[in-house]
Amino acid sequence: MTNQAEQDRINHVYRQWHGGAGLVRYAWHRSEILVQEADRARALAALLPVTVGADLSHVRALDVGCGHGSFLRQLIDWGATPSQLAGTELQPDRLEHARLHTAPGVRWHLGTLDAFLDGSMDLVSAHTVFSSILDDDLRRELAGEMWRVLRPGGWAMIFDFRYSNPRNKQVRKVTDVELLRFWPAEKRHYRTLVLAPPLGRAMARLPRLAPELLAALLPPLRSHFFYMAQK
């Protein structure tokens, strides 16, 4: 990666955010968070069998910006082999958390994708990573690195925001134009999900069916997407 100033900004934002009061609204036991995680799991369960296949035991996967390692643990729960998986992260404390709470064998890497060989992965994913990058050149560069590491026939997976957050100038939505420009492919899948978090929090005390029904009936209220493209 060449834009060191942008990387430094991202690191600074995450260091300020990590451990702060803002994390309370993302606590794992909150009802709206449980609904969001269920939405993601259902979308993944629909997308993975028609892309990399239902048998994950031989899938070589790299999660870029892996955070605490939750996506890789999900793959392991669904049958992936830990030694076939890898995660990269820029924050050492997050990477150490992932290492401590994930099955042994996963390859963890602090830094960028330079350490990974061309065409070495079947699946390369990035979850709410690109929305944290404000610089267009760095977005393009990271997308190119993900495409480089992916083997022909493999799949890139992006999970991110459909809309910008007017209250948080440190993130920016990922547009449809960017998806098609960064990961051009004849075979691709696009799926929207997750009721916009402010609505989800407002409806948290209502029966669980209420926010799910609202998100199902009004697609524009879904704040996130999955995009998968085959190289």
Side-chain angles (χ1 to χ4, degrees):
M1 299 281 175
T2 58
N3 194 325
Q4 188 61 47
E6 176 67 355
Q7 287 192 61
D8 290 343
R9 183 198 64 80
I10 294 169
N11 283 333
H12 177 69
V13 169
Y14 272 96
R15 282 195 298 269
Q16 284 190 316
W17 181 73
H18 184 65
L23 284 179
V24 173
R25 66 176 55 182
Y26 301 104
W28 65 269
H29 55 81
R30 294 176 67 96
S31 59
E32 68 272 22
I33 299 301
L34 294 173
V35 171
Q36 290 176 22
E37 291 305 312
D39 285 349
R40 289 178 68 173
R42 283 194 293 265
L44 284 169
L47 288 169
L48 290 175
V50 298
T51 54
V52 297
D55 181 2
L56 302 179
S57 61
H58 300 293
V59 173
R60 300 168 299 170
L62 168 63
D63 191 28
V64 178
C66 63
H68 292 154
S70 59
F71 176 61
L72 295 177
R73 287 193 294 276
Q74 180 73 83
L75 293 182
I76 292 170
D77 286 346
W78 288 349
T81 304
S83 60
Q84 298 281 74
L85 308 179
T88 69
E89 177 57 51
L90 296 179
Q91 300 294 321
D93 57 333
R94 291 160 68 88
L95 196 66
E96 184 60 22
H97 183 282
R99 189 194 313 274
L100 289 174
H101 294 86
T102 308
V106 177
R107 177 184 175 186
W108 304 105
H109 179 71
L110 181 65
T112 63
L113 277 62
D114 298 345
F116 296 89
L117 298 176
D118 295 3
S120 58
M121 294 292 167
D122 304 305
L123 174 68
V124 181
S125 60
H127 297 250
T128 58
V129 169
F130 281 83
S131 54
S132 298
I133 302 172
L134 303 183
D135 183 81
D136 291 333
D137 290 338
L138 190 56
R139 282 190 175 194
R140 189 179 305 107
E141 186 177 346
L142 178 57
E145 280 291 278
M146 291 176 63
W147 210 236
R148 174 187 66 79
V149 171
L150 198 62
R151 68 165 177 82
W155 290 84
M157 170 190 286
I158 310 302
F159 173 78
D160 227 310
F161 296 116
R162 298 175 67 198
Y163 306 116
S164 294
N165 183 349
R167 296 183 179 180
N168 185 356
K169 299 302 182 182
Q170 302 297 336
V171 296
R172 177 163 61 88
K173 68 179 180 180
V174 181
T175 67
D176 295 348
V177 172
E178 286 178 305
L179 294 175
L180 295 174
R181 182 190 304 139
F182 293 162
W183 300 281
E186 291 187 6
K187 292 185 178 180
R188 56 185 182 268
H189 301 270
Y190 183 84
R191 178 184 293 255
T192 60
L193 65 157
V194 177
L195 185 66
L199 285 173
R201 287 191 289 270
M203 302 180 71
R205 296 182 181 275
L206 298 178
R208 185 186 310 174
L209 183 60
E212 293 185 358
L213 186 61
L214 188 62
L217 295 177
L218 296 173
L221 296 182
R222 301 172 195 162
S223 56
H224 292 66
F225 69 84
F226 269 114
Y227 176 75
M228 294 193 70
Q230 186 177 40
K231 182 175 178 181

